[in-house]
Amino acid sequence: MNTDDLNFAYKVRHALNERLDELPASTTDRLAQARKMALARKKAHVEVPLAVRVAKTELAAAGGGFMSQFNWLGRWSMVVPALALVIGMVGIYQYEQQERIADLAEIDAAVLSDELPLNAYLDHGFNAYLSQSE
């Protein structure tokens, strides 16, 4: 357990102990029985002999190149999709900007060439769109 897990466990224990005195006796008895059963099921801590630890270290050193390839692959398996997502989003943004520019250019060309009907100039939404796009 790291320190964050231990701190969390202490906070939970403290929060549970705050109201311990207010619990009914039947509840505390059941909790005590459950704790005894859990402790009975807990596996005993077994110390690993030094020879086994040395063998594991040597095995890791011998196969370190093989395992480091998987570590490298694991890192890139997260980076490549994220990079593809960012590139895709930038591409979509650029495409949408080009489409918007093309639409504005088409409207401007129609306004300058007087191909728009007279009702377009009388439409309040069109005037608002033209003032917004400038």
Side-chain angles (χ1 to χ4, degrees):
M1 285 186 133
N2 61 21
T3 56
D4 292 336
D5 292 339
L6 287 174
N7 287 337
F8 178 71
Y10 288 136
K11 288 178 183 178
V12 168
R13 185 183 71 182
H14 179 69
L16 292 173
N17 285 338
E18 281 182 354
R19 306 278 184 202
L20 185 62
D21 296 333
E22 298 173 11
L23 289 175
S26 62
T27 304
T28 55
D29 291 340
R30 284 194 336 237
L31 286 173
Q33 288 174 351
R35 184 174 190 279
K36 286 178 187 176
M37 287 174 33
L39 287 175
R41 290 183 194 158
K42 181 182 178 264
K43 294 181 181 177
H45 180 71
V46 178
E47 184 66 31
V48 178
L50 181 62
V52 174
R53 281 186 275 167
V54 169
K56 283 184 179 180
T57 306
E58 289 173 356
L59 182 63
F66 181 71
M67 291 307 288
S68 67
Q69 289 175 357
F70 283 121
N71 289 340
W72 177 80
L73 182 64
R75 287 188 200 124
W76 280 104
S77 68
M78 293 298 293
V79 171
V80 170
L83 188 61
L85 179 67
V86 169
I87 290 172
M89 295 297 285
V90 168
I92 290 171
Y93 176 76
Q94 291 294 329
Y95 175 77
E96 290 296 325
Q97 287 298 322
Q98 291 298 325
E99 288 294 314
R100 184 172 177 263
I101 290 171
D103 290 343
L104 289 176
E106 187 177 322
I107 290 173
D108 288 343
V111 167
L112 291 174
S113 65
D114 270 345
E115 292 178 6
L116 286 176
L118 198 52
N119 291 336
Y121 293 108
L122 299 175
D123 185 16
H124 295 293
F126 183 73
N127 289 332
Y129 177 74
L130 287 178
S131 65
Q132 177 190 6
S133 63
E134 292 177 355

